[in-house]
Each structure stands twice: as structure tokens, then as C-alpha cells.
């Protein structure tokens, strides 16, 4: 018989260590198993913090939701040279400026590589009203998404996009359940930036996730598709003195939590 209380207590101890260190800054964590043993462990999960590029998951969901209603054409073609430039690395630079890709493929670039120009085009396709309506429909009551991913919005203005761990979990679970969001699930499981939740897990454990970063902000959220039981995890942070170290700590605590849950499921 699974000792759910013992598993929950062990996870809570790991989260407390992660959130209470002298250099922890502000940290919010939410862990939920999507199978047995069923449990949820949280630390300040209702705290409103900057979403950074976690907001790109909202873009992807909104795009497919409005396409289901016939209001967005996922197969519309976009000329690469018409997309905004960026000072940051972009996978789109590997393509000829006169080549075209579909809106669907731009969504893939947005969620597989966190490409900012691709994300900016999706924002233009959707418009703010559709984005806000999607947030409301999903019940993301503490989430605001007024800013984009242009160069000028990647500094202080980017902090205007805010959310909570509770809202992000709701979004992640919706992506997990909705049949028409299968492409989003495929994009996220192939996400290329794996320096946080997946970084210390075995290579054969898929993780469907998305990170978000700004100065002092190191976020990650998704589902560890462990064979013992799927595990949803959300990490939101602010005021981090060392982004690289925080990313490493997220990987370390994720590994310990996954091991605790997997051992609990096997007992």
C-alpha cells in the first residue's frame, strides 16, 4: 500500500529546502501527480509572478482553440523575411528569407525553440482580444498577458506578463487533456531547452515542458511522463541572483521529487 502521507511529507521537505535557501529570492512551486499516488504539494502557488516565456504556451493553446472555431487558418503561409528580426538566436535564421512556413509551423518553432519572432507573429494573428478570451475561458484568473516578445518587451516591459503556479498548472492540464491540442503536446515534449526540470532525469523519461527566463526570473512548467505516474511540476521564481544556478537547483529538486514519487508508486 502506498504511503501517500509519507510521499507528500518527503516532497514538501524538498520544496522547503528549494524555496528557503539564503539565495532563493522569491520561489513558487506546485507539484501534482496525475496518477497514483494522487497528491498535490505546493508552496505559495497563488503568488503572482512574471510568466516570461511560459506565456508562449497560452499563444499555442489560443491559436489551436480559435482554429477549432474556424477563426484562424493554421495553414496560412508566412514569408520568413516578413517576420520581425531579433538580436537573440532564432531558428528562423536557418531558412531562406523568401521561403514560407505555415502558421502551424510557426507555433511549432515557438514551442520547440521558444523563438521570439515566431511568437510575435502568432500574437499578431490572434490579436489581444482572442488571447484575453482564451485566458478567461481556461479560468486563468490571475494571469495577464499584455506584452509580447519584441526586443523592447524583453526587459522590464516583459514583467507585465504575470501568472501563478495554480494558473500554469491549469493550463498544463488542459494541454494534457484536450484532444485537439495533440500538436502542442508534441511540440512541448520536443522542447530543446532542457536545463531545468529534465536536466537530471534519465534520458528515456520524456518531459513535456516550457521554460521562461528574464533577468532574475527562472521558470519551468510541464509534465514529467514517468512510467510510474505522470507528474506535473511548476516552478516560478523572481529576484534570482544567479539564473544559471537556479536552473540547476530546479533540475536537482525535480530529480529528487520524481524519485520520491516513483519509489512511492512502486511500494
Amino acid at each position: 500500500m502506498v504511503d501517500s502521507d509519507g510521499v507528500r511529507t518527503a516532497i514538501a521537505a524538498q520544496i522547503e529546502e528549494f524555496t528557503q535557501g539564503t539565495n532563493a529570492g522569491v520561489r513558487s512551486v506546485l507539484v501534482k501527480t496525475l496518477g497514483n499516488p494522487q497528491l498535490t504539494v505546493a508552496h505559495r502557488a497563488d503568488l503572482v509572478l512574471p510568466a516570461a516565456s511560459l506565456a508562449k504556451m497560452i499563444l499555442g493553446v489560443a491559436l489551436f482553440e480559435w482554429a477549432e472555431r474556424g477563426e484562424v487558418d493554421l495553414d496560412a503561409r508566412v514569408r520568413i523575411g516578413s517576420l520581425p528580426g531579433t538580436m537573440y538566436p532564432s531558428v528562423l535564421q536557418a531558412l531562406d528569407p523568401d521561403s514560407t512556413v505555415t502558421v502551424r509551423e510557426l507555433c511549432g518553432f515557438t514551442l520547440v525553440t521558444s523563438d521570439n519572432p515566431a511568437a510575435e507573429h502568432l500574437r499578431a494573428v490572434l490579436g489581444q482580444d482572442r488571447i484575453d478570451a482564451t485566458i478567461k475561458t481556461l479560468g486563468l484568473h490571475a494571469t495577464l498577458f499584455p506584452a509580447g516578445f519584441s526586443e523592447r518587451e524583453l526587459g522590464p516591459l516583459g514583467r507585465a506578463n504575470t501568472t501563478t503556479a495554480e494558473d500554469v498548472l491549469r493550463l498544463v492540464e488542459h494541454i494534457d487533456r484536450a484532444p485537439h491540442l495533440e500538436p502542442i503536446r508534441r511540440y512541448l515534449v520536443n522542447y530543446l531547452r532542457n536545463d531545468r526540470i529534465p536536466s537530471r532525469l534519465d534520458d528515456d523519461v520524456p518531459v513535456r515542458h516550457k521554460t521562461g527566463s528574464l533577468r532574475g526570473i527562472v521558470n519551468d512548467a510541464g509534465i514529467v511522463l514517468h512510467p510510474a505516474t505522470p507528474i506535473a511540476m511548476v516552478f516560478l521564481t523572481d529576484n534570482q541572483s544567479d539564473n544559471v544556478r537556479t536552473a540547476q537547483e530546479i533540475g536537482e529538486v525535480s530529480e529528487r521529487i520524481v524519485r520520491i514519487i516513483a519509489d512511492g508508486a512502486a511500494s
Side-chain angles (χ1 to χ4, degrees):
M1 181 177 178
V2 175
D3 180 8
S4 296
D5 290 340
V7 172
R8 186 179 291 105
T9 299
I11 294 171
Q14 294 298 326
I15 292 175
E16 181 177 7
E17 180 180 346
F18 172 75
T19 58
Q20 301 302 318
T22 56
N23 298 313
V26 180
R27 296 180 176 181
S28 170
V29 182
L30 183 52
V31 175
K32 179 181 179 181
T33 57
L34 305 181
N36 290 318
Q38 294 186 353
L39 54 87
T40 301
V41 186
H43 172 80
R44 304 186 73 186
D46 60 348
L47 183 64
V48 177
L49 291 169
S53 283
L54 291 186
K56 289 171 182 171
M57 288 194 290
I58 297 174
L59 283 181
V61 170
L63 195 75
F64 277 82
E65 297 287 0
W66 290 99
E68 278 284 294
R69 305 181 191 186
E71 295 197 25
V72 169
D73 182 4
L74 294 175
D75 297 315
R77 302 204 69 85
V78 182
R79 181 177 170 272
I80 293 297
S82 70
L83 297 171
T86 177
M87 64 181 285
Y88 297 98
S90 169
V91 67
L92 301 177
Q93 294 300 312
L95 304 177
D96 188 280
D98 289 325
S99 63
T100 63
V101 295
T102 65
V103 170
R104 187 193 314 271
E105 289 166 335
L106 284 178
C107 183
F109 288 135
T110 297
L111 295 179
V112 173
T113 73
S114 204
D115 193 271
N116 288 330
E120 275 296 273
H121 187 80
L122 299 187
R123 278 182 58 82
V125 167
L126 286 163
Q128 192 65 45
D129 288 347
R130 288 194 183 110
I131 293 171
D132 290 342
T134 300
I135 290 171
K136 182 177 180 180
T137 299
L138 294 177
L140 311 183
H141 303 301
T143 298
L144 295 175
F145 190 2
F149 302 96
S150 64
E151 305 293 86
R152 69 179 186 86
E153 293 169 301
L154 296 179
L157 289 177
R159 296 178 64 87
N161 295 333
T162 56
T163 191
T164 65
E166 291 174 338
D167 276 8
V168 176
L169 176 64
R170 194 170 291 113
L171 175 65
V172 165
E173 289 189 293
H174 177 71
I175 293 170
D176 186 53
R177 291 191 302 259
H180 64 286
L181 296 182
E182 186 280 329
I184 304 294
R185 294 192 286 274
R186 176 161 42 88
Y187 301 151
L188 293 175
V189 83
N190 286 287
Y191 185 52
L192 296 180
R193 300 187 181 186
N194 291 324
D195 63 329
R196 299 175 195 179
I197 291 173
S199 64
R200 297 177 65 89
L201 301 180
D202 292 339
D203 290 341
D204 59 353
V205 177
V207 181
R208 188 193 300 146
H209 75 122
K210 179 76 186 69
T211 65
S213 304
L214 289 169
R215 185 181 297 276
I217 296 167
V218 186
N219 297 340
D220 200 1
I223 298 176
V224 177
L225 301 171
H226 197 280
T229 185
I231 308 163
M233 293 185 171
V234 182
F235 295 90
L236 301 182
T237 75
D238 199 0
N239 298 332
Q240 302 302 292
S241 60
D242 184 339
N243 277 28
V244 173
R245 181 56 193 152
T246 300
Q248 292 172 342
E249 290 175 359
I250 289 173
E252 291 163 0
V253 72
S254 296
E255 179 195 29
R256 293 193 293 267
I257 290 171
V258 168
R259 187 169 60 248
I260 290 166
I261 293 172
D263 290 347
S267 63

